[in-house]
Amino acid sequence: MTLPERTVERLSEYRRSLLQCLEEGKTHIFSHELAGLHHNTAVQVRRDIMFIGYTSMQRKGYDVRELIDVIGDILDSGKGLNVAVIGIGNLGRAVTTYFVGKRSKLNIIATFDVDTTKIDRVISGVKCYPINRMKEIVEANNISIAIVTVPADSAAEVTAQLVEAGIMGLMNFTTVPLNVPDEVYLDEYDMITSLEKVAYFVKSPRN
Amino acid sequence: MTLPERTVERLSEYRRSLLQCLEEGKTHIFSHELAGLHHNTAVQVRRDIMFIGYTSMQRKGYDVRELIDVIGDILDSGKGLNVAVIGIGNLGRAVTTYFVGKRSKLNIIATFDVDTTKIDRVISGVKCYPINRMKEIVEANNISIAIVTVPADSAAEVTAQLVEAGIMGLMNFTTVPLNVPDEVYLDEYDMITSLEKVAYFVKSPRN
DNA sequence: TGGAAATTGTGATTTAATTAACAATATTTT
DNA sequence: AAAATATTGTTAATTAAATCACAATTTCCA
């Protein structure tokens, strides 16, 4: 059984709020509290939690620690995955420092760039390799996810190489859509689109 | 009439592909061609274009230049908007350089940071101001959209100040959800969530 | 010229996601 | 211990988004 995409997203978000709660010494949380921390309703929270088959102590709310673990069983299930960041411009560096150490099951273990002055530089503990060694290093280190932050005009080529190297998941931060075979999961995030959307809805009175 | 959110996103993406087509000297484009450039079907493209009320020359495809203009009428309608980037770390710099000069109707005209060593620095032609002058500068320059790239622990405070200063749209790149009044449009993008989602779908065979 | 082929525009249908509604259960109050 | 209250879990209803199906139109080709 595969969870709805949006549910997966929300679970990831819930988990982080829950970890925060745990730090603050909170042991139980109600659906409406968790909803309040996100832009969300209590029903939605309960529905999401229903999907992962966890049930609370009736009337006491969800056990924070247990819920974190159950979400972990879903999101981190099985072995951890190795991740590479392709392109170490501002965005690549941002993404790398963002992620390193954050989630133990997702390890950024290499970055790549064409710029020879960046080779062997270490960003947040992760070493930068020349992009022409990508296939070799991806294969040797069993890297299954790549985060693509290269300039638009090299995105297609880099992607082809990554697919060739056997990557299974891709996050695309460039401004061009990428093409990958069906079996590769692709998540595209386009900042320009997001900004234009914000501008549109700022101007158009929504409902 | 307000367009569906997803349609607005796709229109933004279509426009960029169309501009590219124009550069390549293409004057007409079929719905299936445009679909092929995105992860999309021909019907979806036609439906989106139907929403904005444009109709093509039957059987010749859409006139690229006209379609660009019609999308522009929707997305850029009326006056341009002024934008500020809050927090000039790696991500803030990435976003700023990304956007500057890209879309003429959305002008990044200021960046802000707490770090005094960054004050007065110019990133891609945009000057950095101390964050305590935010309200003053936002008001004086009629800035209506803010892109928030500050560290998680200052996000809430910065947001409150932005709302106070009369901002109307917000893009949140921090890892904590923000709270804004209903009349402020909020778009949240959470990289950690996206990465965890990719990891989940890489492991779970989808459909 | 007439039929085959290609393409659009759109009503109807399907699917996915969200929300409403409420029974079941546990807790608190009186 | 009965009644009132709060909360969950889930079925049913609604809404939003995507897809199907096809008539209408234009172009192409024999």
Side-chain angles (χ1 to χ4, degrees), chain B residues 83-87 110-114 119 128-143 145-150 154-167 170:
Chain B
V83 179
V85 174
I86 325 294
T111 70
F112 295 91
D113 207 293
V114 271
I119 307 309
C128 183
Y129 297 94
I131 211 152
N132 58 27
R133 291 185 60 201
M134 201 162 64
K135 185 164 199 267
E136 167 207 337
I137 290 165
V138 165
E139 286 171 351
N141 294 86
N142 193 27
I143 293 173
I145 296 179
I147 303 174
V148 182
T149 64
V150 301
S154 42
E157 193 193 333
V158 158
T159 302
Q161 290 173 241
L162 284 165
V163 169
E164 167 70 18
I167 222 83
L170 234 97

Side-chain angles (χ1 to χ4, degrees), chain A residues 1-6 8-13 15-17 36-39 74-81 83 89-91 93-95 97-99 102-103 105-106 108 144-145 147 150 168-171 173-180 182-207, chain B residues 1-6 8-13 15-17 36-39 74-81 83 89-91 93-95 97-99 102-103 105-106 108 144-145 147 150 168-171 173-180 182-207:
Chain A
M1 169 266 331
T2 312
L3 301 175
E5 194 157 326
R6 308 296 297 277
V8 173
E9 292 181 9
R10 284 189 298 261
L11 288 172
S12 161
E13 283 155 21
R15 172 158 69 173
R16 267 171 291 146
S17 294
L37 295 173
H38 300 270
H39 303 286
I74 303 288
L75 296 187
D76 307 330
S77 82
K79 56 187 175 355
L81 295 180
V83 180
N90 282 315
L91 186 56
R93 282 197 299 278
V95 167
T97 49
Y98 232 55
F99 282 131
K102 282 266 167 54
R103 296 245 34 83
K105 293 293 191 115
L106 295 172
I108 302 210
S144 48
I145 296 178
I147 303 174
V150 300
M168 289 311 294
L170 235 99
M171 281 178 78
F173 282 106
T174 74
T175 51
V176 289
L178 300 181
N179 282 304
V180 296
D182 277 356
E183 68 271 19
V184 177
Y185 184 85
L186 174 63
D187 184 81
E188 310 230 27
Y189 180 70
D190 187 320
M191 287 188 195
I192 296 179
T193 289
S194 289
L195 183 61
E196 292 193 336
K197 184 175 68 166
V198 172
Y200 175 81
F201 284 110
V202 161
K203 287 189 281 198
S204 309
R206 53 215 170 290
N207 63 34
Chain B
M1 169 263 333
T2 312
L3 302 175
E5 196 158 326
R6 309 296 297 279
V8 173
E9 292 179 8
R10 284 189 298 260
L11 288 173
S12 160
E13 283 155 21
R15 173 159 66 173
R16 269 171 291 145
S17 294
L37 295 174
H38 299 269
H39 302 286
I74 302 289
L75 295 187
D76 307 330
S77 82
K79 57 185 175 357
L81 294 179
V83 179
N90 282 314
L91 187 57
R93 282 197 299 278
V95 168
T97 49
Y98 232 55
F99 283 131
K102 283 264 168 56
R103 294 244 37 81
K105 294 292 193 116
L106 294 172
I108 302 211
S144 48
I145 296 179
I147 303 174
V150 301
M168 289 310 295
L170 234 97
M171 280 179 79
F173 283 106
T174 74
T175 51
V176 289
L178 300 182
N179 283 303
V180 296
D182 277 355
E183 68 273 17
V184 176
Y185 184 85
L186 174 62
D187 184 80
E188 310 231 26
Y189 180 71
D190 188 320
M191 287 188 194
I192 297 180
T193 289
S194 289
L195 183 59
E196 292 193 335
K197 184 176 69 165
V198 173
Y200 174 81
F201 283 110
V202 161
K203 287 189 281 198
S204 308
R206 52 214 172 291
N207 66 33

